[in-house]
Amino acid sequence: MDQLRTALDALASDTFFSIIAFAVPGNDPWSEYQGVSTAMPGGIGTRADLYLSGGVNLLVPLPAAFMQELLNSIGNYLGSYPMDIPDMAAEDVGENGEWILENLDSSLGQYLEGTASNTVLIALLVNLAATRLHGQVDGPFPSPFANLGWEQKAKVFEELESQSSWLKRAIVWNISNRDYREAAPGVLQGIISFLMRIPGFGSYCEFAVFDAANRTIVQRPLGWVLSQYRPDAPPLPIGSDDFIGYYQGRRSV
C-alpha cells in the first residue's frame, strides 16, 4: 500500500508539472522537453502546480464509494492499455513503483479504499489518455503525458474535453452504481475543464508569495514580472483620471 501510494503521488506530481508547462511554458525541464519553452521561468516557477492540484482537490469532494468506482473503471482500462514508465525515470516513483504503475488493474479502487485524492484520479485519467492516443513514449519523466511533445499534449486534452470522448464514455459505462454513473460525466467534465482554466490564473497571481496571515505579498510575484505588471508605477497621462476616485465624479447610481 505504501509503495502504491508513493508511486501514484509521484506520478501525480509529475503530471501536474507537465500540465502547467503545457499551459504556461517556461525554462523548466518539462517545458524544454515538450519543445515549447521560454527563456524566462513560466508557470512552474510560480508553483502554479500546487495551486492547480489544491484547487482540483477542493473543487469536487467525491464520496469514497464514488471515487472507488472511478478508480476501478480507470484501472480496468489501464489493464488493457498499461502505462509504460521509462526505465530512466523508474527511481522517481519509489521502490517497485515502475512495476506497480505498469500493472494497475480494476482492483485499484479496492486497494485504495476510495481514499485517493482528485489529483491522483486526474493523473491516471490524463496518462491513460496519453497512452491510449500515443502508445509507449520514452523520455526522462515517469508520467507518459509529461514525455509528450506540446502538440501531442494538446491532442490528449482535445480528447478529454470532447463531449463525445471515447475514454469518458468507457469509464462511465463501467460504473456499476446508477447514481454515480449518471453523475460521472458532469464531474469528469468539470474537473477537466478546471485543468485548462486554472494554470494561467495560478501562474500570474500572487499565490506563491502571499502571506495569508498579514494579507501581504512577501516579494514581487513572478507573475508580475512575466506580465510586466507595475502597480507602483506612476499613472499614465492618458485616461488615468477616469480611474481616480469615482468615475466622472459620480456619487450614486
Side-chain angles (χ1 to χ4, degrees), residues 44-220:
I44 289 177
T46 70
R47 293 318 310 264
D49 57 294
L50 297 179
Y51 190 91
L52 178 61
S53 60
V56 164
N57 286 332
L58 292 171
L59 178 65
V60 184
L62 298 178
F66 191 4
M67 175 66 78
Q68 182 165 316
E69 293 250 18
L70 287 169
L71 292 171
N72 286 347
S73 187
I74 290 174
N76 182 66
Y77 279 86
L78 283 169
S80 300
Y81 303 101
M83 284 185 286
D84 180 51
I85 308 301
D87 291 339
M88 67 179 75
E91 293 184 1
D92 296 336
V93 291
E95 183 182 2
N96 296 322
E98 180 184 9
W99 185 90
I100 290 170
L101 293 177
E102 291 179 346
N103 288 275
L104 296 176
D105 57 24
S106 58
S107 62
L108 178 62
Q110 281 84 4
Y111 275 112
L112 295 175
E113 298 178 342
T115 60
S117 65
N118 286 359
T119 54
V120 167
L121 176 70
I122 289 299
L124 291 170
L125 184 66
V126 169
N127 285 293
L128 173 55
T131 301
R132 183 66 179 87
L133 286 174
H134 301 293
Q136 296 181 349
V137 182
D138 198 16
F141 307 114
S143 161
F145 178 79
N147 290 312
L148 298 176
W150 193 89
E151 292 184 357
Q152 291 176 309
K153 289 180 179 178
K155 290 293 185 183
V156 171
F157 277 108
E158 182 180 8
E159 163 62 29
L160 291 174
E161 289 182 302
S162 171
Q163 293 289 342
S164 58
S165 166
W166 64 265
L167 178 57
K168 286 187 293 187
R169 291 201 310 269
I171 290 172
V172 171
W173 185 81
N174 269 286
I175 295 175
S176 59
N177 181 286
R178 178 179 176 180
D179 292 336
Y180 293 153
R181 187 167 61 249
E182 292 178 351
V187 169
L188 293 175
Q189 192 66 33
I191 294 177
I192 292 164
S193 178
F194 188 82
L195 288 179
M196 295 311 302
R197 294 176 180 175
I198 297 304
F201 185 82
S203 298
Y204 289 97
C205 74
E206 298 79 23
F207 161 74
V209 295
F210 182 65
D211 182 343
N214 298 312
R215 300 183 66 80
T216 60
I217 56 172
V218 297
Q219 66 185 63
R220 183 172 174 80

Side-chain angles (χ1 to χ4, degrees), residues 23-41:
V24 186
N27 59 0
D28 55 90
W30 290 268
S31 297
E32 292 172 355
Y33 196 80
Q34 72 182 358
V36 177
S37 61
T38 68
M40 290 282 291

